[in-house]
Amino acid sequence: SAAATDTAAALRTIYYRAKRGDSLSKIAARFNTTVAAIKANNAFLNQRKYLQPGDQLTLILNVRKPR
């Protein structure tokens, strides 16, 4: 139905390379997502305590603008 298509999320995958001073919470805020969502798409983050400059993160973002 047309209504289902209208409310479907417009997902976009972005690859982000961490910079010095970045944190998961700063990246999440910048891209309007959550730390949990970032960790879900980047399993290597669950194995270490800190984000390193140069780490490449896969961010899956909903880019549909709210009405």
Side-chain angles (χ1 to χ4, degrees):
S1 79
T5 312
D6 268 358
T7 58
L11 297 179
R12 178 167 295 156
T13 301
I14 292 178
Y15 299 100
Y16 178 80
R17 190 165 302 279
K19 299 179 190 74
R20 187 171 175 196
D22 272 345
S23 67
L24 291 180
S25 59
K26 285 181 184 175
I27 295 166
R30 185 179 309 150
F31 290 99
N32 194 28
T33 186
T34 64
V35 170
I38 293 173
K39 283 186 164 188
N41 294 308
N42 297 277
F44 75 91
L45 293 172
N46 297 314
Q47 260 92 98
R48 357 190 207 133
K49 194 169 182 177
Y50 298 107
L51 184 64
Q52 299 292 324
D55 283 348
Q56 183 168 307
L57 304 176
T58 301
L59 307 175
I60 299 179
L61 309 172
N62 180 353
V63 294
R64 181 172 294 276
K65 293 192 175 19
R67 293 178 180 221

